[in-house]
C-alpha cells in the first residue's frame, strides 16, 4: 500500500514536471551590421540528456534549405552556469548532457544574410526573422508553449508579427501555443512603416520596409476589396482574430503564406505603373487566399510537419494552382482587371504551359510530389521534362470552374467546391487528398470526373481548351508563325554567344546543338549577338551550318530551320452565343455577356 502511494506520488510529480515544460527564447542582435542573430534558448523542466534541432525547411516552401549551415558558436550550460557538454549528432541535431534537474540554457548565433521570403535577413537597418531558420526546437516537446523575448537595437521601434500579443506598442514578449505556430509567425523588426486597419470586424496591420511611392489609403482600399471578395468564397467570415502583412519594398517579387500573416517582396516602383501594380495586387490576392487554401484546407501530406525531412504531397496543383487561378479571378471580380485583360491573362497561362515540352512527360500530380527535387532545382533541361503546378493547376481550376457552372446551369461554381472543402476538411481539422478534391467537385457538379482527373491531373493528356471554353461561348484561335525558328535559347556572356537551352524536338534538338555550346558562326558569318541578324533572313526549310565551340573544339552542325510552335493568339467571345453559353459566361465572370461600351458602339 505504502509503495503504491509512493509510486502514485512519483507519477504525479513526473506528470506535473512534464506539463510544466516550456521553451523560452531571447533573440538579440547587438551588432546587426554583422548579420548575426544571437539566440539564448532555455529548456524549462529539462531532465537528463536532451536533443535540440533546427528545421531543414520551412512550411510553404518545398525545398530542403539546410538552415543549420548558418549556425555557429553553440554552447550549453545549466541554470547555475555550469558548462554542459553539447555535441552535434547529425547535420541539424545537437545533444546536450544535462546535470540533475536544472533547466538547460543553449546559446548560439545564426548568420542571416539571404534576402528572401523563406530565409532570415539582418542588416544595420532591419531584420526579417523566419523562425524555422533561427529558432531551434526541443525534440519531443514541439507541442509545448514557446515564449519569445526580443532585444531590439536601441534605435529600432517596431516589431510586426502575428504572434500574441498582437501589435501592442513597445511589446517585445510573445507567446506561441506550440512550435508549429512559432514557425508560422515571421517577424519584421526595425523602423518599418506600419498601417493599421480593420476589415470585416478584424484588426489588420500592414508593415512596409523600404521607401517608395505608395499611398496608405489606396493600399487599404484595394486590400479591403481583395479580402472581402476572398472571404465571400468561404462564407463571408475571416478565419482568424488578426492578420499581419509584411512587405519588403525593394526588389524582386514573391511571397510566402502563413495562417495569420504573409511576407511579400515587391519591386520598389510598383505603385504608379498599372502593370506592376496589378502584379502586386495579384501577389497580395494569392498569398491571402492561402489563408484558407493551404493554411486551413491542407493536404494530408502536411497535416503535421516533419521538420527534419521532406514532407511529400501530390496536391500542390490544387493548393497552389487553384490559388493562382483565384488570384487573377479575384482582381477581375473587384474590377481591377477588365474582361479583355483577364482573357489575355488566361491566354498567356495556356501559352506558358503549351510552350513546355515537359507537359508531355510530367503530370501535375507528379510535379507536386517532385517539388522538393525539381521545381526549386531547375536546370537547362527542366522545361523539357517538367511543368509548373502553379501554371497547370491554374488551368485545371479554370476548366473545372467552367464545367461545374455549365453542368449546374449557373447554380454552382468552383467557389462551392472550395467552401465544401473548407467545411468538410478545414473545420474538422483533417487533411484532404487529390481524390477528395475530385469527390467534392463531383458532389457540387453532379458530374463523373474520374476520367477528367486521370487524364489531366494524374496523366499528361493535352487539356481540352476548345471543348471547355466553348461552354462559356469562347473561341480559341491558334496560330503558327511563319518566321524562322531554331529552338535554342541564346545568351551573351562575356562577349560570347552561348546556348543556354535546347527545346525538345526543335530543329536545334534534332541537329544536336548542346547547352554550353558557344555559337561562333552561321554559314561562316560571325555571330555577335543572341539575336543573329543573319538568321532573320532565313525561312522555314532552309539549311544552315552552325559553327560551335564545344569544349574548345570547333564543330560544324547542320540544321534545318523550322516554324515557331503554335500558340493561342486570341481568346474571344463568339459572335452568336447560345443562351446557355451566355449564362455560363455571366456566372463565371459576374459580367453581362455584352459590356456597356460595346453596346453603345
Amino acid at each position: 500500500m505504502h509503495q503504491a502511494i509512493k509510486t502514485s506520488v512519483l507519477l504525479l510529480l513526473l506528470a506535473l514536471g512534464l506539463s510544466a515544460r516550456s521553451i523560452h527564447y531571447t533573440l538579440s542582435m547587438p551588432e546587426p551590421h554583422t548579420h548575426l542573430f544571437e539566440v539564448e534558448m532555455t529548456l524549462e523542466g529539462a531532465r537528463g540528456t536532451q536533443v535540440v534541432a533546427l528545421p531543414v525547411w520551412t512550411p510553404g516552401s518545398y525545398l530542403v534549405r539546410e538552415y543549420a549551415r548558418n549556425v555557429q558558436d553553440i554552447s550549453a550550460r545549466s541554470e547555475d552556469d555550469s558548462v554542459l557538454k553539447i555535441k552535434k549528432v547529425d547535420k541539424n541535431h545537437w545533444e546536450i548532457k544535462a546535470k540533475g534537474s536544472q533547466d538547460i540554457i543553449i546559446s548560439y548565433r545564426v548568420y542571416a544574410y539571404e534576402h528572401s521570403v523563406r530565409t532570415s535577413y539582418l542588416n544595420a537597418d532591419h531584420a526579417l526573422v523566419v523562425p524555422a531558420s533561427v529558432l531551434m526546437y526541443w525534440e519531443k516537446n514541439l507541442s509545448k508553449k514557446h515564449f519569445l523575448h526580443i532585444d531590439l537595437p536601441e534605435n529600432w521601434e517596431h516589431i510586426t508579427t502575428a504572434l500574441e500579443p498582437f501589435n501592442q506598442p513597445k511589446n517585445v514578449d510573445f507567446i506561441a501555443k506550440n512550435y508549429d505556430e512559432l514557425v508560422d509567425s515571421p517577424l519584421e523588426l526595425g523602423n518599418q512603416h506600419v498601417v493599421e486597419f480593420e476589415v470585416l470586424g478584424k484588426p489588420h496591420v500592414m508593415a512596409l520596409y523600404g521607401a517608395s511611392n505608395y499611398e496608405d489609403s489606396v493600399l487599404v482600399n484595394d486590400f479591403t476589396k481583395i479580402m472581402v471578395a476572398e472571404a465571400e468564397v468561404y462564407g463571408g467570415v475571416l478565419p482568424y482574430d488578426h492578420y499581419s502583412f509584411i512587405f519588403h519594398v525593394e526588389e524582386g517579387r514573391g511571397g510566402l503564406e502563413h495562417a495569420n500573416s504573409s511576407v511579400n517582396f515587391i519591386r520598389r516602383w510598383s505603385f504608379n505603373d498599372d502593370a506592376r501594380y496589378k502584379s502586386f495586387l495579384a501577389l497580395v490576392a494569392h498569398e491571402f487566399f492561402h489563408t484558407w487554401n493551404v493554411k486551413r484546407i491542407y493536404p494530408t501530406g502536411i497535416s503535421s510537419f516533419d521538420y527534419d525531412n521532406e514532407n511529400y504531397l501530390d496536391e500542390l496543383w490544387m493548393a497552389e494552382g487553384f490559388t493562382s487561378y483565384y488570384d487573377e479571378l479575384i482582381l477581375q471580380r473587384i474590377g481591377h482587371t477588365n474582361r479583355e485583360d483577364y482573357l489575355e491573362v488566361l491566354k498567356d497561362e495556356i501559352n506558358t504551359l503549351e510552350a513546355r515540352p515537359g507537359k508531355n512527360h510530367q503530370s501535375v500530380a507528379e510535379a507536386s510530389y517532385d517539388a522538393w527535387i525539381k521545381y526549386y532545382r531547375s536546370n537547362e533541361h527542366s522545361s523539357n521534362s517538367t511543368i509548373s503546378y502553379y501554371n497547370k493547376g491554374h488551368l485545371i481550376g479554370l476548366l473545372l470552374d467552367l464545367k461545374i457552372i455549365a453542368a449546374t446551369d449557373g447554380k454552382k461554381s468552383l467557389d462551392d467546391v472550395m467552401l465544401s472543402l473548407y467545411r468538410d476538411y478545414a473545420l474538422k481539422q483533417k487533411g484532404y487528398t487529390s481524390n477528395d478534391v475530385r469527390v467534392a467537385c463531383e458532389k457540387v457538379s453532379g458530374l463523373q470526373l474520374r476520367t477528367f482527373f486521370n487524364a489531366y491531373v494524374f496523366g499528361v493528356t493535352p487539356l481540352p481548351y476548345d471543348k471547355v471554353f466553348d461552354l462559356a461561348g469562347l473561341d480559341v484561335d491558334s496560330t503558327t508563325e511563319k518566321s524562322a525558328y531554331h529552338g535554342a535559347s541564346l545568351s551573351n556572356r562575356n562577349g560570347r554567344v552561348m546556348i543556354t537551352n535546347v527545346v525538345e524536338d526543335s530543329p536545334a534538338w534534332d541537329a544536336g546543338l548542346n547547352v554550353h555550346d558557344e555559337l561562333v558562326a552561321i554559314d561562316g558569318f560571325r555571330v555577335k549577338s543572341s539575336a543573329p541578324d543573319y538568321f532573320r533572313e532565313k525561312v522555314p526549310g532552309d539549311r544552315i551550318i552552325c559553327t560551335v565551340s564545344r569544349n574548345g573544339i570547333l564543330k560544324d552542325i547542320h540544321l534545318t530551320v523550322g516554324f515557331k510552335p503554335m500558340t493561342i493568339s486570341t481568346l474571344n467571345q463568339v459572335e452568336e452565343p447560345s443562351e446557355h453559353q451566355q449564362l455560363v459566361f455571366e456566372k463565371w465572370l459576374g459580367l453581362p455577356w455584352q459590356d456597356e461600351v460595346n453596346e453603345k458602339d
Side-chain angles (χ1 to χ4, degrees):
M1 179 66 176
H2 181 66
Q3 182 62 38
I5 292 174
K6 285 178 65 177
T7 301
S8 298
V9 171
L10 177 60
L11 289 173
L12 177 61
L13 290 173
L14 284 172
L16 289 172
L18 287 172
S19 65
R21 288 183 176 182
S22 58
I23 299 88
H24 296 255
Y25 305 93
T26 295
L27 179 66
S28 58
M29 51 230 78
E31 297 179 298
H33 64 280
T34 66
H35 320 301
L36 287 168
F37 286 111
E38 296 190 359
V39 182
E40 186 173 274
M41 177 185 186
T42 300
L43 312 184
E44 188 179 79
R47 303 291 182 269
T49 300
Q50 301 295 333
V51 176
V52 295
L54 196 65
V56 302
W57 70 292
T58 192
S61 182
Y62 307 99
L63 177 67
V64 171
R65 298 187 180 276
E66 309 294 17
Y67 293 127
R69 63 192 168 91
N70 294 317
V71 174
Q72 65 184 65
D73 306 325
I74 191 166
S75 63
R77 68 183 191 276
S78 61
E79 58 185 304
D80 65 2
D81 281 336
S82 298
V83 175
L84 301 177
K85 183 179 180 180
I86 183 168
K87 180 178 69 172
K88 195 170 187 179
V89 294
D90 61 30
K91 66 179 182 179
N92 66 315
H93 289 75
W94 288 261
E95 181 183 80
I96 306 103
K97 299 286 187 181
K99 295 180 180 179
S101 60
Q102 295 191 33
D103 295 346
I104 296 174
I105 302 166
I106 302 158
S107 300
Y108 60 94
R109 297 199 288 177
V110 178
Y111 182 72
Y113 202 50
E114 183 179 351
H115 201 205
S116 78
V117 297
R118 60 195 70 83
T119 53
S120 293
Y121 182 84
L122 172 64
N123 68 10
D125 298 323
H126 76 119
L128 171 65
V129 182
V130 174
S133 68
V134 174
L135 303 177
M136 294 186 182
Y137 65 83
W138 183 5
E139 196 173 70
K140 300 180 181 179
N141 287 282
L142 283 80
S143 62
K144 303 300 181 182
K145 289 184 178 179
H146 289 64
F147 299 86
L148 174 62
H149 173 81
I150 298 177
D151 284 335
L152 283 177
E154 186 175 341
N155 60 337
W156 292 12
E157 295 290 330
H158 299 300
I159 299 174
T160 302
T161 181
L163 287 170
E164 298 290 350
F166 171 73
N167 200 45
Q168 295 186 11
K170 304 297 182 182
N171 183 73
V172 293
D173 291 288
F174 302 90
I175 184 172
K177 63 184 179 183
N178 52 42
Y179 188 73
D180 288 347
E181 183 175 84
L182 180 69
V183 164
D184 200 33
S185 305
L187 304 96
E188 176 68 21
L189 317 175
N191 296 309
Q192 61 269 23
H193 178 59
V194 178
V195 180
E196 298 183 5
F197 60 107
E198 187 175 290
V199 177
L200 297 177
K202 301 288 181 68
H204 296 76
V205 167
M206 183 189 340
L208 300 105
Y209 170 79
S212 188
N213 56 346
Y214 55 78
E215 294 183 21
D216 294 356
S217 60
V218 173
L219 295 184
V220 169
N221 181 58
D222 288 337
F223 283 23
T224 299
K225 291 178 182 178
I226 289 170
M227 297 161 74
V228 169
E230 294 189 353
E232 286 176 355
V233 175
Y234 297 98
V237 178
L238 296 173
Y240 49 73
D241 294 327
H242 51 75
Y243 191 94
S244 299
F245 292 95
I246 296 173
F247 294 102
H248 284 198
V249 188
E250 295 178 290
E251 58 187 27
R253 181 186 185 276
L256 190 63
E257 72 276 2
H258 301 277
N260 293 8
S261 62
S262 62
V263 178
N264 307 270
F265 281 20
I266 53 175
R267 298 179 184 89
R268 189 181 301 281
W269 308 116
S270 295
F271 302 93
N272 61 357
D273 178 283
D274 287 343
R276 284 190 172 186
Y277 187 60
K278 195 167 292 183
S279 175
F280 162 64
L281 290 182
L283 175 65
V284 172
H286 184 99
E287 301 306 333
F288 192 72
F289 198 80
H290 276 317
T291 303
W292 294 271
N293 192 25
V294 169
K295 299 313 300 183
R296 288 168 176 84
I297 308 171
Y298 50 79
T300 55
I302 53 172
S303 56
S304 61
F305 297 119
D306 178 352
Y307 291 107
D308 296 331
N309 300 287
E310 295 91 339
N311 292 218
Y312 289 103
L313 63 163
D314 71 6
E315 297 88 7
L316 289 174
W317 64 271
M318 198 288 267
E320 292 290 356
F322 280 21
T323 301
S324 295
Y325 171 56
Y326 271 100
D327 65 37
E328 293 288 355
L329 184 63
I330 290 296
L331 295 191
Q332 188 277 325
R333 286 181 180 179
I334 66 174
H336 262 286
T337 302
N338 61 34
R339 75 177 69 200
E340 291 79 14
D341 288 344
Y342 182 64
L343 294 180
E344 191 74 12
V345 166
L346 299 184
K347 185 197 77 174
D348 289 344
E349 285 290 331
I350 294 170
N351 285 334
T352 295
L353 177 64
E354 295 306 312
R356 289 184 77 93
K359 69 183 183 296
N360 301 314
H361 303 291
Q362 186 184 52
S363 73
V364 74
E366 290 171 332
S368 302
Y369 200 82
D370 280 344
W372 296 91
I373 59 173
K374 293 188 177 183
Y375 185 77
Y376 288 99
R377 290 177 173 168
S378 61
N379 59 28
E380 66 276 1
H381 186 60
S382 293
S383 63
N384 291 324
S385 60
T386 69
I387 58 168
S388 164
Y389 45 78
Y390 288 89
N391 172 223
K392 190 172 182 180
H394 179 146
L395 294 173
I396 289 174
L398 162 67
L399 298 183
L400 282 171
D401 199 8
L402 292 176
K403 286 176 69 67
I404 293 168
I405 294 170
T408 62
D409 294 329
K411 297 180 178 64
K412 300 289 183 179
S413 70
L414 193 63
D415 286 13
D416 296 280
V417 173
M418 300 308 296
L419 179 59
S420 172
L421 291 170
Y422 182 65
R423 289 172 174 169
D424 292 343
Y425 293 91
L427 296 183
K428 296 178 181 178
Q429 296 185 329
K430 64 178 184 178
Y432 69 86
T433 66
S434 290
N435 280 326
D436 292 327
V437 178
R438 173 183 60 79
V439 170
C441 290
E442 290 177 340
K443 287 182 177 179
V444 168
S445 67
L447 297 169
Q448 292 297 315
L449 294 170
R450 189 177 295 277
T451 299
F452 181 97
F453 271 66
N454 286 341
Y456 310 124
V457 175
F458 300 108
V460 295
T461 304
L463 294 179
Y465 306 115
D466 288 344
K467 182 177 180 180
V468 177
F469 277 128
D470 183 65
L471 297 173
L474 295 176
D475 180 55
V476 181
D477 184 18
S478 301
T479 60
T480 301
E481 291 189 31
K482 295 183 179 180
S483 55
Y485 170 71
H486 51 70
S489 297
L490 305 178
S491 176
N492 291 308
R493 293 184 178 175
N494 299 320
R496 301 190 300 167
V497 177
M498 305 299 296
I499 296 177
T500 58
N501 172 261
V502 179
V503 177
E504 182 182 82
D505 295 331
S506 67
W509 175 279
D510 292 338
L513 290 175
N514 289 351
V515 169
H516 305 314
D517 284 350
E518 177 189 357
L519 182 59
V520 178
I522 300 176
D523 287 344
F525 293 97
R526 180 74 180 183
V527 172
K528 296 182 179 181
S529 80
S530 57
D533 291 333
Y534 179 75
F535 188 77
R536 296 175 187 171
E537 303 295 321
K538 298 301 169 184
V539 296
D542 284 351
R543 294 272 292 173
I544 61 175
I545 299 173
C546 297
T547 302
V548 302
S549 174
R550 181 178 299 168
N551 299 322
I553 300 173
L554 293 178
K555 289 179 173 290
D556 285 338
I557 295 177
H558 294 259
L559 181 150
T560 301
V561 177
F563 289 96
K564 283 191 174 181
M566 186 172 62
T567 60
I568 291 178
S569 57
T570 57
L571 187 60
N572 294 319
Q573 294 171 247
V574 299
E575 292 185 3
E576 297 181 3
S578 67
E579 290 185 10
H580 193 262
Q581 286 175 319
Q582 288 192 48
L583 181 151
V584 172
F585 180 91
E586 293 175 354
K587 170 65 177 180
W588 172 41
L589 295 186
L591 297 171
W593 173 262
Q594 193 71 34
D595 63 48
E596 294 181 4
V597 174
N598 287 341
E599 284 181 351
K600 290 177 182 177
D601 291 343

